[in-house]
Amino acid sequence: MAPTELRVTSEGSLIRVLLRSEPMGAVAQHQYLVQSEELDRLNIAFDVAPNPIWVTGENGELVWSNTSFEALSLNAHPERGTPALNSVQNVDGKQPKNSRMQIEQSDGSSRWFEITSRRTQHGTMHFATDIDTLIEAELAQRNFVQTLAKTFAHLPIGLAVFDRERRLVLFNPALVDLTRLPMDFLSARPNLLSFFDHMRENRMMPEPKNYATWREQLTDVITAARDDRYCETWSLASGLTYKITGRPHPDGAVAFLLEDISAEISLTRRFRSELELSQSVIDCLPDAVAVFSRLGVLTFCNAAYRQFWECDPDGAFNETTIADATEVWQRACDASEIWPQMRDYVLTLQDRTAWHEPLRLQDGREVLCHVEPVSAGATMVRFAFVESRRNEHGLTVSKQRAVGG
């Protein structure tokens, strides 16, 4: 720009202002036009920018703002005064500063902005970006996590979730009860190794034969959990039995579920013991005994039955039904009309009464077949040999004898 002189003089009641400048050359005129055009473009860009932009002075006073800032100021809640964007503190250093701010609107709604402030030679420039969608997503995530936390709080199964860095990020109260780990230890976000180390110290996991090797193999455990293949049953020295399962979670996280199955294991063992006792008792019976369910499937048979009919239903590939059993019995006996009746009796759901029928084996021996209902709609079929002899009057007397005798 050419040197310019400004002269102000007083002439009585008048003030004369004289502005004198040398004519601009071609280069200066070109630079002026270019700068004017660039300034117009910048003004238009700031005016049409969808996000608020403003400049504050040294004392925080508003120096300049764009159209979006002014529109936001007009829509601000009247009881709130000027928008809170004005109160953003200036930046002292050269590094930009980020902050979040909520602006109340006159219609009762609110808007959230991410504000980036940067210090320049003309003041502090502030750039606001609308983050309403981000805030809604964070709120939804927070509510979801709170909902999960409330759900897991009442879950009897212990839950421990480790992130991709293998730090504990989520656990429920059941985990504290099952592992007996201190709450402050779990809240400090221990890593996976520390978690299992403390469980071992509390004797809440089986003692490995070589714990150092087991720790090295923990990588394989994590890999198995990430592939949904990790499931173990821990029998503790205290008599408790835990089932621990590994499950993969998004973003490389891993969840471990710890369940106390002591009651289930005890019930299973007691049930197995009762089954073995029942089998021992029924094996002591001299008669051949077979029990069929209401669906006609063989559920029990004793040693005398296996010996008498020369079969082993427990070793068969398929289940033995009443049809299969009567087919074996029918081949070993003379012709009789009771087999269809017996099959219908076993499969009927109506009230039934016990009955018996004599049978003759193909080798001439007589057998008495007893058929009677038992609990749960099941049916017991019992076979006993019949011995014949003549009394002192010359009459034939039949006497039942055990088939195993």
Side-chain angles (χ1 to χ4, degrees):
M1 297 292 291
T4 303
E5 179 185 359
L6 176 63
R7 180 178 296 179
V8 180
T9 58
S10 176
E11 298 180 357
S13 60
L14 300 178
I15 296 177
R16 180 182 296 274
V17 179
L18 178 62
L19 184 64
R20 180 180 297 175
S21 176
E22 296 179 1
M24 289 189 300
V27 176
Q29 291 183 9
H30 176 72
Q31 291 178 346
Y32 174 77
L33 293 175
V34 171
Q35 292 175 356
S36 297
E37 185 178 355
E38 180 68 18
L39 182 60
D40 291 339
R41 282 197 297 266
L42 291 176
N43 288 333
I44 294 174
F46 282 123
D47 286 338
V48 300
N51 296 327
I53 304 173
W54 69 102
V55 180
T56 55
E58 293 293 336
N59 297 324
E61 71 278 8
L62 182 63
V63 176
W64 174 89
S65 61
N66 68 345
T67 304
S68 296
F69 180 91
E70 295 172 358
L72 184 63
S73 300
L74 294 175
N75 290 330
H77 199 288
E79 297 180 359
R80 302 289 181 176
T82 57
L85 292 175
N86 280 357
S87 61
V88 177
Q89 297 181 355
N90 289 340
V91 181
D92 297 333
K94 295 182 179 180
Q95 295 298 326
K97 177 184 177 182
N98 295 326
S99 59
R100 286 186 178 183
M101 192 162 291
Q102 183 182 19
I103 306 300
E104 300 288 341
Q105 301 289 289
S106 57
D107 59 358
S109 63
S110 61
R111 297 180 62 185
W112 281 90
F113 291 92
E114 180 84 24
I115 303 172
T116 302
S117 303
R118 182 183 293 272
R119 186 177 182 84
T120 66
Q121 59 182 354
H122 300 291
T124 302
M125 299 195 67
H126 308 277
F127 304 88
T129 303
D130 191 333
I131 57 171
D132 287 340
T133 304
L134 177 61
I135 294 298
E136 291 177 0
E138 291 178 351
L139 181 60
Q141 182 184 21
R142 190 179 303 112
N143 292 336
F144 179 70
V145 172
Q146 291 177 353
T147 302
L148 287 180
K150 293 179 181 179
T151 303
F152 295 150
H154 301 284
L155 192 68
I157 300 176
L159 173 67
V161 179
F162 296 85
D163 60 14
R164 61 165 55 189
E165 304 298 331
R166 302 297 170 256
R167 310 288 298 187
L168 182 63
V169 294
L170 180 64
F171 65 93
N172 64 342
L175 184 72
V176 180
D177 298 334
L178 293 175
T179 62
R180 300 177 185 174
L181 295 177
M183 180 69 73
D184 54 351
F185 169 75
L186 296 175
S187 301
R189 301 184 60 191
N191 58 35
L192 197 59
L193 289 176
S194 299
F195 177 80
F196 282 110
D197 283 342
H198 278 70
M199 286 191 63
R200 174 174 171 264
E201 293 174 2
N202 286 358
R203 303 177 63 85
M204 298 310 297
M205 64 175 292
E207 182 68 29
K209 296 181 179 178
N210 189 329
Y211 188 72
T213 304
W214 188 87
R215 289 194 66 187
E216 295 176 357
Q217 295 175 347
L218 192 59
T219 303
D220 299 333
V221 173
I222 298 173
T223 302
R226 292 178 59 182
D227 296 338
D228 203 6
R229 294 184 291 106
Y230 181 72
C231 183
E232 288 186 356
T233 300
W234 291 353
S235 297
L236 307 182
S238 61
L240 297 176
T241 304
Y242 284 175
K243 177 183 178 182
I244 181 169
T245 308
R247 290 286 184 266
H249 267 236
D251 198 23
V254 177
F256 287 94
L257 304 175
L258 195 64
E259 182 180 3
D260 186 356
I261 59 173
S262 304
E264 178 183 346
I265 294 297
S266 176
L267 180 62
T268 302
R269 291 173 179 170
R270 184 165 61 252
F271 180 69
R272 186 182 298 114
S273 176
E274 291 177 355
L275 285 179
E276 293 174 354
L277 178 61
S278 300
Q279 187 65 50
S280 299
V281 171
I282 198 174
D283 282 341
C284 292
L285 297 178
D287 295 343
V289 178
V291 179
F292 296 87
S293 68
R294 66 187 310 165
L295 299 179
V297 178
L298 180 65
T299 56
F300 281 108
C301 66
N302 63 350
Y305 178 90
R306 297 184 183 91
Q307 179 183 357
F308 180 65
W309 296 110
E310 297 181 354
C311 65
D312 185 12
D314 295 337
F317 181 76
N318 295 322
E319 294 179 331
T320 301
T321 64
I322 183 62
D324 301 327
T326 53
E327 185 176 341
V328 174
W329 304 339
Q330 187 174 358
R331 286 198 303 265
C333 299
D334 291 342
S336 176
E337 298 180 353
I338 72 168
W339 310 119
Q341 178 185 354
M342 186 181 297
R343 287 191 287 266
D344 294 340
Y345 182 91
V346 170
L347 297 175
T348 186
L349 299 179
Q350 300 177 355
D351 294 337
R352 302 170 299 172
T353 57
W355 56 276
H356 62 273
E357 188 75 18
L359 298 173
R360 181 181 295 274
L361 301 178
Q362 291 186 355
D363 59 7
R365 292 178 298 174
E366 293 185 358
V367 175
L368 188 60
C369 176
H370 298 266
V371 183
E372 51 190 303
V374 291
S375 62
T379 305
M380 182 178 69
V381 181
R382 179 166 56 90
F383 299 93
F385 282 129
V386 177
E387 293 182 348
S388 298
R389 62 180 178 83
R390 293 184 178 274
N391 59 14
E392 64 273 12
H393 302 289
L395 300 178
T396 301
V397 179
S398 297
K399 180 181 180 181
Q400 183 172 318
R401 180 174 61 85
V403 298

